[in-house]
């Protein structure tokens, strides 16, 4: 829950702060865009949290392999969206 809250605050803060500081008018539909953006990025956080929640005593290094696969998928999906 902390990660979800921090990400949401970060997205809304970076969307609303620059127009306020610069004194420019706010972009229309900024709330809707920020809400979608803050929620859409959660898939990597949830996957990583599940992989990290696995017991450290899994046999054969399965936990480490799952962590590597999870991080690789997250990085490739984030880079592939641009």
């Amino acid at each position: 829950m902390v990660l979800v809250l921090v990400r949401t605050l970060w997205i809304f803060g970076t969307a609303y702060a620059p127009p306020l500081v610069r004194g420019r008018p706010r972009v229309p539909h900024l709330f809707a865009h920020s809400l979608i953006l803050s929620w859409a990025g959660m898939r990597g956080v949830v996957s990583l949290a599940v992989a990290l929640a696995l017991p450290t005593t899994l046999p054969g290094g399965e936990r480490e392999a799952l962590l590597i696969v999870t991080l690789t998928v997250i990085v490739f999906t984030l880079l592939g969206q641009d």
Side-chain angles (χ1 to χ4, degrees), residues 28-64:
H29 308 294
L30 187 61
F31 179 80
H33 293 169
S34 298
L35 186 65
I36 291 170
L37 185 63
S38 67
W39 185 252
M42 287 296 131
R43 67 187 180 280
V45 172
V46 172
S47 301
L48 185 59
V50 169
L52 289 171
L54 294 172
T56 58
T57 58
L58 285 177
E62 292 175 6
R63 183 177 189 259
E64 289 78 16

Side-chain angles (χ1 to χ4, degrees), residues 65-76:
L66 286 171
L67 281 172
I68 290 170
V69 169
T70 303
L71 288 171
T72 303
V73 169
I74 291 169
V75 168
F76 279 124

Side-chain angles (χ1 to χ4, degrees), residues 13 15-26:
Y16 280 95
L20 290 176
V21 172
R22 295 182 183 139
R24 294 183 183 162
R26 193 170 52 96

